[in-house]
Amino acid sequence: MKLALSSDEVAFRDELRRFYRTEIPQAIRDKVKYGLDITRDEAVTSHKILNDAGLATPKWPVEWGGKNWTPMQLHLWEDELQLASVPDPLTFNANMIGPVIAQFGSQEMKQRFLPATAALDIWWCQGFSEPDAGSDLASLRTTAVRDGDSYLVNGQKIWTTMAQWADWIFCLVRTDPNVPKKQAGISLLLFDVKTPGVTIRPIKLIDGRHEVNEVFFENVRVPADQLVGEENQGWTYAKFLLGNERTGITAVGRTKVRLAVAKEYAAQTRSGASTLLDDPRFAARLAEVENELLALELTLLRVVANSSEGKPNPASSVLKMRGSELQQAATELLLDIAGPDGLPVHAAGIAAPDWAQRTGPSYLNMRKTTIYGGSSEVQRTIIASTILGL
């Protein structure tokens, strides 16, 4: 396994490091670092700066703005971005629908959507999960019936992240209900969320935030030329998209930043005659998480080093599972540092510092990481079968 960077890779890394820390506004990066929500405008601002520099969609085909980078360069691009607390390029655009359109869309569709998707002139949301079709996505029941030059869409989606900020939705629909294999009758449609018949309803999460939504479709008319690829081939496109969704989910860089913030807060928290950072029990717990993160980073580098041929590596399931678990461990550490001050969530006029009040909601929100992108249970099954041969 290659651990040392070449001189060219060091120069590449240093230029990324300089760009992220000087071109992305400090106020936005501070919000990300300390767990504050950024606004839609701030997300767009950061994404556009990255896109203008060719740093929003490097994994796309070169003809549509991608970079012909090595796996190590792609790793450095992502790792340095996270270490600098730069908001990720909008994943719905950069990692999900953009690559699908580039791979399966018509030339006309690529020209129409890819530049706007890369530049975040269109904010996309994902219409996949339904109340009775989450883990078993192929059981979806939203229908699209061909009517002349368009489709009529009826049904419901749920857990649609940031739909309240979105312009368009990429939506899995059932176009053939009579096929013997349920995966065979699904298509992928693109349409404006302001189309008549679309209703977006917020879902309040356990941490008190509005992040996800219910989306309802009632006789929504979608032009037929907004069908991606071929009718009834949507399951193929969905699998391709979900493979890209896991990009960056390991989040080693972001967990490093969160642990650094934990040390910062621990140094401000009194424990006996000193601070919590000097407490041997706390130091041992922090060291354990840091060591686990180092082991994960080494595994990540091994995967990167073995990805030169572009073949899927089953170790990616280890990365996803442990990465999400360590993200949760870091938020648990922050909550424990806050102690009782972490209890009054969104309370005003109390003595607890703002950072401590944020630890409770952050802890609750991060419970999702071991579910999305393939739950830990699913990852253990993959590890058992593909790595351990059980």
Side-chain angles (χ1 to χ4, degrees), residues 329-342:
T331 60
E332 291 168 10
L333 196 64
L334 283 161
L335 182 63
D336 286 348
I337 294 169
D341 284 342

Side-chain angles (χ1 to χ4, degrees), residues 144 151 172-179 181-189 227-238:
Y151 290 92
L172 285 181
V173 294
R174 187 163 299 284
T175 42
D176 187 347
N178 301 315
V179 291
K181 188 177 181 180
K182 55 189 178 182
Q183 289 90 341
I186 294 172
S187 299
L188 182 61
L189 288 176
L227 171 76
V228 177
E230 300 178 22
E231 191 174 275
N232 299 325
Q233 294 299 308
W235 190 249
T236 298
Y237 312 147

Side-chain angles (χ1 to χ4, degrees), residues 134-345:
S135 298
D136 184 18
L137 184 57
S139 296
L140 64 88
R141 294 187 293 185
T142 295
T143 61
V145 178
R146 187 66 183 259
D147 181 33
D149 293 332
S150 59
Y151 290 92
L152 285 178
V153 178
N154 286 276
Q156 178 188 358
K157 298 294 178 179
I158 199 166
W159 313 124
T160 310
T161 304
M162 308 313 294
Q164 75 273 21
W165 286 0
D167 303 304
W168 282 63
I169 187 170
F170 49 95
C171 192
L172 285 181
V173 294
R174 187 163 299 284
T175 42
D176 187 347
N178 301 315
V179 291
K181 188 177 181 180
K182 55 189 178 182
Q183 289 90 341
I186 294 172
S187 299
L188 182 61
L189 288 176
L190 315 175
F191 53 96
D192 193 320
V193 296
K194 298 178 182 63
T195 304
V198 179
T199 301
I200 298 173
R201 185 179 301 166
I203 298 173
K204 188 175 182 179
L205 295 180
I206 191 172
D207 64 354
R209 299 164 66 227
H210 174 202
E211 183 179 350
V212 296
N213 304 267
E214 297 176 286
V215 184
F216 300 89
F217 311 115
E218 184 176 357
N219 292 325
V220 179
R221 188 169 292 277
V222 179
D225 64 2
Q226 290 168 200
L227 171 76
V228 177
E230 300 178 22
E231 191 174 275
N232 299 325
Q233 294 299 308
W235 190 249
T236 298
Y237 312 147
K239 288 191 295 182
F240 180 88
L241 183 150
L242 291 170
N244 285 318
E245 182 186 6
R246 292 182 185 172
T247 298
I249 211 166
T250 306
V252 169
R254 297 225 181 272
T255 304
K256 283 184 178 180
V257 171
R258 193 168 279 120
L259 291 178
V261 170
K263 290 180 181 179
E264 181 180 327
Y265 292 148
Q268 302 171 14
T269 304
R270 301 301 302 175
S271 178
S274 187
T275 69
L276 189 57
L277 191 60
D278 299 317
D279 184 290
R281 290 171 299 178
F282 176 82
R285 183 177 171 194
L286 178 63
E288 181 179 2
V289 177
E290 289 182 321
N291 285 337
E292 290 285 344
L293 188 61
L294 176 59
L296 178 66
E297 185 174 24
L298 292 173
T299 304
L300 174 60
L301 289 171
R302 177 161 55 86
V303 172
V304 170
N306 293 331
S307 298
S308 57
E309 297 180 5
K311 296 178 181 178
N313 191 319
S316 62
S317 289
V318 177
L319 298 178
K320 194 281 168 183
M321 185 180 74
R322 288 302 291 145
S324 56
E325 290 170 352
L326 288 174
Q327 289 171 56
Q328 291 180 346
T331 60
E332 291 168 10
L333 196 64
L334 283 161
L335 182 63
D336 286 348
I337 294 169
D341 284 342
L343 291 176
V345 178

